[in-house]
Amino acid sequence: MIVGKVIGSLISTRKADNLIGSKFMIIEPLSALHPGKDCFVATDTIGAGIGEIVLVATGSAARIGMGQENTPIDAAIVGIVDSECDVENIRS
């Protein structure tokens, strides 16, 4: 699981049929927890907003967690971190 910050959204008007209605967000992994990881796109069905810290499942866990085992999803937002948590300042 990756902890990251939502830094933007991505709009795709043409996509696979089973992705219609999906919202795509750009995630920046928190450097203190995931040094050297690049930004990536994740689907969002829980309503995360730009600037929020989120939990992201990747690979088959993303598809299973979304209940979409046959959908081409590699990363999915599965949780929003509570604002009182200070995960951005964790030191490794």
Side-chain angles (χ1 to χ4, degrees):
M1 191 163 306
I2 295 172
V3 179
K5 185 174 192 172
V6 179
I7 61 169
S9 60
L10 185 98
I11 297 172
S12 174
T13 55
R14 296 180 61 127
K15 53 188 157 263
D17 288 344
N18 47 1
L19 288 174
I20 293 173
S22 295
K23 180 178 161 188
F24 302 106
M25 304 303 277
I26 302 168
I27 308 297
E28 178 180 42
L30 295 185
S31 59
L33 298 173
H34 311 285
K37 288 225 180 236
D38 293 327
C39 295
F40 60 93
V41 175
T43 58
D44 176 27
T45 60
I46 62 172
I50 294 173
E52 290 191 290
I53 304 297
V54 294
L55 299 173
V56 181
T58 58
S60 61
R63 292 185 294 279
I64 292 168
M66 304 261 313
Q68 299 184 24
E69 291 83 3
N70 297 317
T71 301
I73 295 173
D74 188 50
I77 297 172
V78 296
I80 299 173
V81 176
D82 293 336
S83 60
E84 62 268 8
C85 296
D86 195 15
V87 294
E88 287 188 272
N89 294 316
I90 292 174
R91 302 277 181 230
S92 45

